[in-house]
Amino acid sequence: MTLCNAGLAVGAAVESILILRHLRLGPQWFGVITAFGAVGGLLGAAVSERIVQRMALPRLTVLTGLFQLLLAGLVFTSYFTVPYVSLALLLAQSLLWGVVLVIFNIASMSWVTTIVDPAFVGRVSSARRLFTFGAVPVGSLAGGAIGSTVGIWASLLSWCLLCAMGTLSFLLLRRGSLRTPPADL
């Protein structure tokens, strides 16, 4: 989760610049894109319980991690397209990101509670929050530095790469926790 959060922070550091300056969509579209993300979060909250009950938590965590990679890729792609195509990509990304992120957070935390001894869940949750939320300011600084020195596209690509690394980490951790290849992935 730390890598995925760091990726989001790297991308979010330049996303407003992408929308307002590079694509010149204007503040009204920035607001609409943001609102789509909020609606997505509400939709994610509405459907998450049913989804979490129907899928194995490790599989759902990896699947939502892969979706984060795909959705970060939509923002990266929007850098290279014309504004109205970019707008469509950003609207879809924002809505779906809201859904996926809520489900990802619920699935990953629920998974942790199934593999950690109940006596240690509080400490593990605290450590997870330290590292996942602690990655946000570092990622934001890195995203701004990359964006201003290399270019916005490089920060957006970094978002994709960090999401890929985070999802790969889930796969590796999942395999290691069972000592055999997981049947549900």
Side-chain angles (χ1 to χ4, degrees):
M1 284 192 77
T2 299
L3 291 168
C4 293
N5 267 13
L8 173 58
V10 167
V14 298
E15 193 172 16
S16 59
I17 299 166
L18 168 74
I19 294 167
L20 297 171
R21 290 194 181 163
H22 180 74
L23 298 173
R24 299 182 192 279
L25 294 173
Q28 71 280 6
W29 282 114
F30 182 79
V32 171
I33 292 166
T34 303
F36 267 54
V39 169
L42 292 172
L43 290 173
V47 301
S48 62
E49 183 177 356
R50 284 174 272 172
I51 293 171
V52 167
Q53 289 176 350
R54 288 190 170 98
M55 289 187 76
L57 295 172
R59 173 182 255 176
L60 186 56
T61 300
V62 171
L63 183 63
T64 53
L66 289 171
F67 273 116
Q68 285 183 60
L69 172 58
L70 173 72
L71 295 171
L74 290 180
V75 180
F76 177 70
T77 302
S78 73
Y79 179 86
F80 299 101
T81 60
V82 296
Y84 289 107
V85 172
S86 296
L87 177 60
L89 291 173
L90 292 170
L91 288 169
Q93 186 274 345
S94 188
L95 179 72
L96 294 172
W97 186 270
V99 173
V100 167
L101 199 59
V102 168
I103 296 169
F104 173 76
N105 285 329
I106 291 169
S108 62
M109 189 58 211
S110 297
W111 182 21
V112 165
T113 64
T114 66
I115 61 175
V116 172
D117 184 311
F120 297 105
V121 169
R123 285 174 259 187
V124 169
S125 294
S126 296
R128 285 180 74 241
R129 289 190 180 273
L130 172 69
F131 291 111
T132 59
F133 292 137
V136 173
V138 174
S140 296
L141 288 169
I146 294 167
S148 64
T149 58
V150 181
I152 295 170
W153 66 269
S155 293
L156 298 174
L157 178 60
S158 298
W159 181 3
C160 296
L161 294 174
L162 286 163
C163 283
M165 289 171 31
T167 302
L168 180 61
S169 296
F170 278 118
L171 286 168
L172 295 173
L173 289 172
R174 174 67 174 146
R175 288 185 188 276
S177 70
L178 291 180
R179 299 189 196 277
T180 60
D184 61 342
L185 290 177

